[in-house]
């Protein structure tokens, strides 16, 4: 039996070690050296590789999210919400826009996206936050405001929950 951890950069199952991709395979190398030869050897190898001993966060921070919606019932709602993420949107607002009850909207989002409308809204806000962090010199407070997450504290909490890292660490890793 194989269990997949969609957020892990690499996994150690004793005799079997796996990584999420090429760069995660490089992350795995110092780990393996440390496991076999001790932490100081791992630190030395990481320095030679010019890589951190362990990157903060999991692979979720590297995978772009955002599916296109093909059914007209949700396309208008998701397009409108995506264009208005800076506003304090609620599930009720989305349901009203889609001319559905919140219960029907929830069921439709669950069927289409595998998540609630609120979770989808947060995911979209975080996607925009990542773009703003990658492309600009704006403050974390301004990113929070522009994405509708309100405060830097709220942004940090959602960011950590989704990506297991901070907005500042994400910016350091991905900003030019």
């Amino acid at each position: 039996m194989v269990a997949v951890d969609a957020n892990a950069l690499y996994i150690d199952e004793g005799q079997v070690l796996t990584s999420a991709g090429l760069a995660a395979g490089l992350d795995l190398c110092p780990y393996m050296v440390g496991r076999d030869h001790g932490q100081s050897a791992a630190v030395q190898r990481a320095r030679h590789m010019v890589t951190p001993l362990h990157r903060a966060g999991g692979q979720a921070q590297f995978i772009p999210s955002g599916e296109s919606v093909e059914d007209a019932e949700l396309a208008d709602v998701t397009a409108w919400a995506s264009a208005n993420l800076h506003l304090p949107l609620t599930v009720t607002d989305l349901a009203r826009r889609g001319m559905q009850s919140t219960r029907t909207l929830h069921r439709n989002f669950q069927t289409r996206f595998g998540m609630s409308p609120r979770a989808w809204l947060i995911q979209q806000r975080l996607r925009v936050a990542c773009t703003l962090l990658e492309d600009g010199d704006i403050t974390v407070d301004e990113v929070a405001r522009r994405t509708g997450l309100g405060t830097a504290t709220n942004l940090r909490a959602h960011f950590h929950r989704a990506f297991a890292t901070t907005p500042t660490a994400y910016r350091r890793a991905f900003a030019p």
Side-chain angles (χ1 to χ4, degrees), residues 90-96 100-109 117:
T90 65
V91 174
T92 303
D93 295 330
L94 298 179
R96 192 174 299 125
Q100 327 178 9
S101 70
T102 55
R103 189 172 173 188
T104 299
L105 183 76
H106 189 277
R107 194 170 35 254
N108 288 338
F109 266 76

Side-chain angles (χ1 to χ4, degrees), residues 31-91:
Y31 170 81
M32 290 170 53
V33 170
R35 187 182 79 163
D36 295 345
H37 303 286
Q39 191 69 5
S40 62
V43 169
Q44 186 180 10
R45 282 300 118 217
R47 285 186 182 137
H48 280 63
M49 292 170 60
V50 191
T51 185
L53 187 59
H54 181 76
R55 281 190 290 168
Q59 72 170 327
Q61 64 183 305
F62 304 103
I63 301 170
S65 61
E67 300 178 42
S68 62
V69 180
E70 293 159 11
D71 57 75
E73 192 169 26
L74 290 179
D76 179 56
V77 174
T78 56
W80 175 80
S82 294
N84 291 288
L85 290 174
H86 61 286
L87 299 174
L89 301 176
T90 65
V91 174

Side-chain angles (χ1 to χ4, degrees), residues 85-87 140-152 155:
L85 290 174
H86 61 286
L87 299 174
V140 173
D141 284 311
E142 182 64 13
V143 171
R145 190 189 66 70
R146 288 188 190 182
T147 58
L149 289 169
T151 66
L155 171 62

Side-chain angles (χ1 to χ4, degrees), residues 1 10-12 19 21-22 25 40 49 57-59 62-63 95 119 121 124 153 161:
M1 181 169 134
Y10 55 84
I11 301 272
D12 179 353
S19 68
L22 181 62
S40 62
M49 292 170 60
Q59 72 170 327
F62 304 103
I63 301 170
L121 201 52
Q124 298 313 301
T153 302
R161 198 172 303 121

Side-chain angles (χ1 to χ4, degrees), residues 101-144:
S101 70
T102 55
R103 189 172 173 188
T104 299
L105 183 76
H106 189 277
R107 194 170 35 254
N108 288 338
F109 266 76
Q110 207 60 41
T111 299
R112 178 63 178 94
F113 297 111
M115 64 181 76
S116 70
R118 182 179 182 279
W120 179 88
L121 201 52
I122 291 168
Q123 181 185 70
Q124 298 313 301
R125 287 181 163 144
L126 290 173
R127 184 182 51 77
V128 172
C130 288
T131 301
L132 291 172
L133 290 166
E134 291 167 18
D135 294 339
D137 294 328
I138 62 176
T139 66
V140 173
D141 284 311
E142 182 64 13
V143 171

